[in-house]
Amino acid sequence: MLVEKVPWCTHEGGVYTIHVQASGLRFATGGADGQVKVWSMAAVVDVQKEKAGPLVLATLSDHSSTVNAVRFSKNGRYLASGSDDRMVCVFEHKPGPGGSTLGGASASIENWRNRFVLRGHGNNVVDLGWSPDDSLLASASLDNMVHIWDAGSGHHLRTLDYHTSFVKGLAWDPVGTYLATQSEDKSVVIWRCDDWSVVECIKARYARLVTSTFSTRMSWSPDGTYLATGNCYQGACHAAVIIPRGHWNEQQQHMLISGHQGCVVSVGFNPRLFHLPKKDGAPGEVQEKLSSVFALGAQDKRISVWAAAQHTPIMVGKRFFKNQVTDVAWSPDGYTAFACSSDGTVACFQFAPSELGTPNTAEELESIFQQLYGSSRGAPGKRLVPESADLLALEAAAAATAPTVPEPATERHQAAPAAATPPAAVAAAPPEAAAAQQAPAPLRAVQPSAKQSKDALLKGRLGGGSEAGFDAPAAPAAADAAGRKRVAAEPVGQATAAAPAVASPRPTSAELMPPPEPKRRRAEPIAAAAAAGPGSAAGGRLAAGAAAGPLLAAGAAPAVVSAPPHVMLRGPEVPAEVTADLGTAPRLFEDPSSSTAAAPRRQLRISNRERAGTSASALAGGGVQAEVVCQQGRDVLWSDTLRGAAVAACGTHNFAAVGLADGQLLLYSAAGRHMAAPLKLGAGIAALACDSAWCLLALTTSGTVRLFDAESLRSLLNASVAPLLEDGSTVLDARLSRMGVPLITLSNCRAYVWSADLDGWACVADESFATSQFVPLMSLANQGEISGLQGQVLRAVIPRTSLPGQQVRAAAGAVPASRAHLEASLSTSLALQSPQEYRRWLLAYARFLAEQGEAARLSEVCTSLLGPHQGAHLDGGGGDAEMADADAAAAAAAGEGEAWQPLVLGLPKRELLGLVLREMSRNRALQRTTQTYHDALTELERAAAQGAPAAAQLQLTAL
């Protein structure tokens, strides 16, 4: 072994990161001087080339503070760097010579250009990682977040905010299935990369984690079977832990590597597997079995190299550094290791074949992947061999598709899509693309005051309209081993990309107060109109919020009475002004001579004023009039005057609705014509809402829900919320879905949707869903109405301090809650008549059942989608799958006599079955059940193609 310090490879103030290009031609370093340097690898391994030069190929000075991480992409074309300036820079190697560096240093020999500047972290970026196919880039920061970026476009795709303290390291599974992150909250989290769900949270090994480290480098073995992390203990000794894939929390399966006298801060697996030399064998004789090799760097200034098949280290390096080791790296041939230190130096360790043995061949590695995962990119962690080519094709189709699990977010509050866009391969894109899509900020729940909780029932949804938020606390400045503070500096004068919104802390709950005792007061004289602007409803479908200054004195409104069957809900206080956004009328005929600029949106403004000549005593009896004005920009389109105080309004480009305090409902056409005589609903109006077309929802203070078709002037629904309020809860929100179905949100952490088929209220959100792994406790983009409603309800009620605990998906409690959550959401999508949501939740349900290996439930789902057939032949089999497949055949036979429709919400059921089978193929333990229904579906499709009757002769063979 040849060991040497590399005297010309240094950074002023310390070297904090090092990485070797996959081609073996270059390596890169980053340090406290804020620079990224690309060096020649040939100058390290060959003394003659070191003398001839060049040594440094490029000096990149785009960062304004310490560079903590540099990582080459797998194809070697790109180099990513993360810094204390909170930025991630992605450099691209281009032909031609380099230019001069900032500060007047000598020109770079190679041309490395800054392709993207990725902004979004709120604190120092300490670690980076490329996905195995270079399509994604992950960044970890002291802001407790991990950001996922599209490496081809620079767009921000996802924010992973599970950790509750500094995230100090990450590592990407070489198969591309998992991403591991380590945090100062004493945990390592395993993320599933296709849907970014939490697979496991490992805590037991890190209970005594050292918090004085600035970063903790993690690493996966080249075959993906082991994850190595530092910063743990074995007894009283510092240690690294080797965690077998799939045995995340099985401590008896873990391997502890101890011996260092300081915290292990960097672990790096050799990119090659080795046939190690035999201990007592002849020179050149190696072991038949392959073993992984890894290096450890620690705060005790030492570096050690180990083989997984040996109990003693291959090498321990002492007295090479004056300060802690900060990072380790390996050359692609596996024989050269690098280590850097905060003392500003780099050491190189060159091993001989007699010390490490013979590295694996490409054929050997491919054979390992084939054995472990079915192929080099097959389904990881499943060691069963597929029984047919059809199942392999289903697995390949499942792996090629985008994640089907619904993401926890609401479309109403997120404008920019995030993970819905599948990661693209690395391709050229203009730098401006990085600013085109910004990271969406999580929805924040409103913390109402005591008066708001007591007096305001439906002035806007929690978290919507005039929502209040909580700013993220500034993370404290970290210190290195020498006690030197490292403060993240704000970047100055850099405008390459706009800073995306940074994910905020988890929301605080809305503390709901019990309704007051019933009492009535006389109305006080009218107060001055408030100057504050009106609130607005999300999407323009809810009744607009009122201005801040009420016309009636506080406490003058009737009290809340929750006593079914006679229910009295508190209506809104009489406001100074009520507004509603009516949108923009569609253009039926375009005028070529007119301007192409978009027309202003129409606004409905209702001002409540004292009627002229009305005394204070008469005012108490209702001496208020409402002046209704419809405006488009500064133009008044129409106006009206109403006898009575307006308390709610809503509308679309088709119509407008105004609700009065005495319970009258008035409908206006787009031109201001009264579409019908004022309708007396029998009680005061608590809220109005409409969809984007003609449906209108009215909630009265007696608890009646009325649904109207404003176009045909017909009543569609007359129901009561009294059955929902028997526990004393109150209504927080009433609105319509996109398909015009009523949705009710209550203060008891539940939400209901009207089911026309069942003629009752179906529960869509429940507090028991809080432990489901599919619950949307964090806000992400591009989600449906069901996820949005569930997320709104749970975020508004779960206390802020319990959110991290709620998000821990304990296996024992999460499975029943997740199953119930998915089944309720699937049923709700039918009630909402939403085919997109039905398809999404069906595939999520199928995938969940497949992961849990629940063959019986999957058989019921498949049978309902397969349709009628004749006969079922049961052939005795063996093995654990026999009972499940017998249940499948029995369930299929039971459905023969039922009326079966080929479509559900306009979606072909058998096409959905094909998608469900694709999800089932992810678990090879279910492959015989999957094969049974796949054969049945194939036969039906063949019969349909040949013009045979739909009920073809099929045989469902039990396995």
Side-chain angles (χ1 to χ4, degrees):
M1 179 175 61
L2 176 62
V3 182
E4 65 172 344
K5 295 292 286 288
V6 187
W8 41 265
C9 182
T10 183
H11 287 261
E12 184 179 354
V15 183
Y16 289 99
T17 178
I18 188 169
H19 195 242
V20 182
Q21 193 180 38
S23 65
L25 300 178
R26 306 169 183 86
F27 69 97
T29 58
D33 55 7
Q35 292 183 335
V36 176
K37 294 183 180 181
V38 181
W39 308 87
S40 171
M41 188 72 171
V44 175
V45 298
D46 191 328
V47 177
Q48 298 300 324
K49 292 183 179 180
E50 179 181 2
K51 295 178 180 179
L55 302 178
V56 59
L57 303 178
T59 301
L60 311 175
S61 304
D62 295 66
H63 289 289
S64 60
S65 189
T66 300
V67 177
N68 302 309
V70 292
R71 296 292 182 262
F72 282 102
S73 61
K74 304 300 186 295
N75 61 16
R77 180 181 175 185
Y78 302 98
L79 174 63
S81 60
S83 169
D84 282 359
D85 60 12
R86 310 178 186 181
M87 297 192 307
V88 176
C89 292
V90 179
F91 302 94
E92 182 180 5
H93 185 207
K94 293 192 174 185
S100 299
T101 59
L102 184 65
S106 59
S108 298
I109 296 175
E110 292 187 342
N111 186 12
W112 288 86
R113 294 296 180 183
N114 195 334
R115 188 184 183 203
F116 297 126
V117 176
L118 308 178
R119 295 182 174 92
H121 281 293
N123 210 324
N124 305 358
V125 179
V126 296
D127 206 3
L128 299 170
W130 293 85
S131 63
D133 59 357
D134 286 339
S135 64
L136 301 177
L137 178 65
S139 57
S141 170
L142 299 187
D143 62 2
N144 307 354
M145 306 291 181
V146 176
H147 285 186
I148 308 299
W149 310 87
D150 187 326
S153 63
H155 291 170
H156 180 271
L157 299 179
R158 185 64 65 95
T159 298
L160 310 180
D161 63 348
Y162 185 92
H163 288 291
T164 58
S165 187
F166 303 153
V167 183
K168 295 186 173 182
L170 58 82
W172 218 299
D173 166 26
V175 184
T177 303
Y178 302 123
L179 176 70
T181 58
Q182 186 169 10
S183 169
E184 201 172 276
D185 61 8
K186 302 182 179 181
S187 71
V188 168
V189 173
I190 309 298
W191 303 84
R192 180 177 287 110
C193 297
D194 53 1
D195 58 7
W196 298 113
S197 60
V198 175
V199 177
E200 201 70 53
C201 180
I202 309 170
K203 288 190 173 183
R205 290 295 184 189
Y206 310 99
R208 298 168 59 192
L209 176 141
V210 177
T211 59
S212 62
T213 65
F214 187 72
S215 62
T216 50
R217 317 288 189 186
M218 312 166 65
S219 182
W220 288 83
S221 62
D223 59 356
T225 55
Y226 293 103
L227 170 66
T229 69
N231 208 344
C232 64
Y233 278 86
Q234 183 181 27
C237 298
H238 292 276
V241 59
I242 310 298
I243 303 173
R245 186 190 193 95
H247 301 277
W248 313 116
N249 272 311
E250 300 177 21
Q251 296 189 44
Q252 67 275 12
Q253 299 288 338
H254 298 174
M255 294 181 289
L256 289 170
I257 311 298
S258 61
H260 283 278
Q261 299 176 2
C263 178
V264 178
V265 295
S266 182
V267 183
F269 266 103
N270 193 308
R272 306 291 292 271
L273 300 173
F274 282 87
H275 296 280
L276 298 176
K278 287 187 176 180
K279 288 185 178 180
D280 301 325
E285 189 177 1
V286 295
Q287 301 176 12
E288 181 180 354
K289 187 177 180 181
L290 286 168
S291 174
S292 56
V293 176
F294 54 91
L296 307 180
Q299 288 183 335
D300 61 2
K301 312 172 191 176
R302 299 179 181 182
I303 179 174
S304 59
V305 177
W306 301 74
Q310 296 180 355
H311 298 289
T312 57
I314 298 174
M315 183 274 294
V316 176
K318 305 178 182 178
R319 296 185 295 274
F320 287 102
F321 303 107
K322 297 179 181 179
N323 212 330
Q324 67 173 350
V325 178
T326 54
D327 202 359
V328 296
W330 289 90
S331 63
D333 64 0
Y335 285 114
T336 303
F338 289 88
C340 60
S341 170
S342 56
D343 65 6
T345 62
V346 173
C348 174
F349 306 85
Q350 298 184 44
F351 294 89
S354 60
E355 296 168 312
L356 293 184
T358 305
N360 67 272
T361 63
E363 291 75 14
E364 286 178 321
L365 188 60
E366 180 64 28
S367 176
I368 292 174
F369 274 91
Q370 185 69 35
Q371 179 182 359
L372 296 178
Y373 315 118
S375 66
S376 60
R377 288 296 179 265
K382 301 170 184 177
R383 301 174 182 267
L384 296 177
V385 178
E387 295 184 0
S388 71
D390 292 334
L391 293 182
L392 274 177
L394 284 175
E395 285 187 8
T401 54
T404 58
V405 178
E407 295 168 3
T410 169
E411 290 178 350
R412 292 179 178 270
H413 297 277
Q414 301 295 337
T421 304
V426 175
E432 290 78 4
Q437 181 172 348
Q438 296 183 349
L443 178 65
R444 302 167 182 176
V446 174
Q447 175 75 32
S449 64
K451 185 180 188 315
Q452 287 174 319
S453 299
K454 176 173 146 183
D455 294 335
L457 173 66
L458 289 168
K459 290 186 180 180
R461 292 183 300 157
L462 287 176
S466 57
E467 59 181 340
F470 299 87
D471 294 331
D480 59 15
R484 172 171 49 85
K485 292 288 185 178
R486 303 174 64 182
V487 182
E490 295 287 348
V492 179
Q494 307 218 12
T496 304
V502 179
S504 65
R506 298 178 177 88
T508 302
S509 66
E511 297 177 357
L512 303 175
M513 297 185 63
E517 293 295 327
K519 58 182 178 181
R520 300 184 180 273
R521 300 179 183 176
R522 291 188 58 192
E524 298 295 331
I526 295 179
S536 61
R541 299 175 189 173
L542 278 175
L551 283 176
L552 298 183
V560 176
V561 180
S562 300
H566 178 69
V567 178
M568 180 61 68
L569 301 176
R570 176 181 298 279
E573 296 176 343
V574 177
E577 186 180 58
V578 179
T579 64
D581 182 11
L582 304 183
T584 303
R587 297 182 179 181
L588 299 181
F589 303 99
E590 294 289 344
D591 183 2
S593 62
S594 63
S595 173
T596 58
R601 301 178 68 85
R602 293 187 300 156
Q603 298 287 332
L604 187 69
R605 296 184 178 275
I606 306 108
S607 301
N608 292 316
R609 305 185 185 280
E610 177 185 351
R611 289 207 300 267
T614 304
S615 62
S617 59
L619 180 62
V624 179
Q625 68 181 19
E627 298 180 359
V628 184
V629 176
C630 179
Q631 293 179 308
Q632 187 169 20
R634 297 183 178 181
D635 299 331
V636 177
L637 302 182
W638 54 268
S639 62
D640 193 12
T641 301
L642 306 176
R643 293 180 60 87
V647 293
C650 70
T652 68
H653 63 272
N654 296 318
F655 74 99
V658 178
L660 302 184
D662 60 0
Q664 292 190 75
L665 177 65
L666 296 98
L667 298 178
Y668 294 92
S669 68
R673 177 178 58 87
H674 283 271
M675 301 174 64
L679 180 64
K680 183 71 172 178
L681 298 184
I685 294 179
L688 293 177
C690 58
D691 63 3
S692 59
W694 290 95
C695 286
L696 171 65
L697 173 74
L699 175 65
T700 69
T701 55
S702 64
T704 301
V705 176
R706 300 294 304 273
L707 183 63
F708 302 97
D709 184 343
E711 183 178 22
S712 60
L713 297 179
R714 292 187 302 111
S715 175
L716 304 178
L717 176 66
N718 187 350
S720 175
V721 297
L724 310 181
L725 307 180
E726 293 180 351
D727 59 352
S729 57
T730 59
V731 178
L732 295 181
D733 184 24
R735 56 188 172 96
L736 290 175
S737 72
R738 285 191 292 266
M739 297 299 295
V741 180
L743 298 168
I744 302 295
T745 303
L746 304 182
S747 61
N748 60 358
C749 194
R750 294 186 180 183
Y752 294 86
V753 58
W754 179 260
S755 175
D757 294 336
L758 300 177
D759 195 28
W761 296 102
C763 182
V764 63
D766 186 273
E767 65 274 10
S768 64
F769 294 169
T771 57
S772 167
Q773 59 182 305
F774 299 93
V775 72
L777 288 180
M778 63 182 87
S779 270
L780 299 172
N782 197 36
Q783 295 305 303
E785 283 187 292
I786 298 176
S787 291
L789 183 62
Q790 292 169 347
Q792 172 195 335
V793 170
L794 294 175
R795 283 192 301 270
V797 178
I798 297 176
R800 178 190 179 113
T801 55
S802 68
L803 275 173
Q806 293 288 351
Q807 289 185 330
V808 175
R809 314 304 185 195
V815 171
S818 299
R819 185 191 305 119
H821 175 212
L822 289 170
E823 290 170 349
S825 301
L826 187 61
S827 175
T828 301
S829 62
L830 290 172
L832 292 179
Q833 303 175 18
S834 174
Q836 294 83 4
E837 297 231 50
Y838 179 80
R839 181 182 183 276
R840 177 186 299 172
W841 287 104
L842 173 65
L843 298 187
Y845 184 49
R847 184 169 194 172
F848 172 78
L849 294 181
E851 290 176 349
Q852 300 301 318
E854 300 195 30
R857 286 185 170 90
L858 284 169
S859 297
E860 289 185 355
V861 174
C862 292
T863 301
S864 66
L865 297 175
L866 180 63
H869 57 277
Q870 296 181 1
H873 176 68
L874 299 180
D875 185 14
D880 296 336
E882 180 177 356
M883 181 179 296
D885 293 319
D887 292 342
E896 289 180 359
E898 300 176 359
W900 183 81
Q901 299 296 328
L903 301 178
V904 53
L905 299 179
L907 301 174
K909 288 185 177 180
R910 286 172 181 165
E911 289 185 9
L912 294 175
L913 176 58
L915 299 177
V916 170
L917 293 176
R918 188 179 65 192
E919 298 300 329
M920 293 171 60
S921 69
R922 297 176 184 269
N923 187 350
R924 289 184 181 172
L926 300 171
Q927 59 183 316
R928 303 194 71 187
T929 304
T930 306
Q931 186 70 59
T932 299
Y933 284 97
H934 182 271
D935 293 343
L937 179 62
T938 302
E939 187 65 26
L940 279 174
E941 292 174 345
R942 184 182 300 113
Q946 296 174 353
Q953 294 286 341
L954 296 177
Q955 288 188 344
L956 296 178
T957 305
L959 309 173

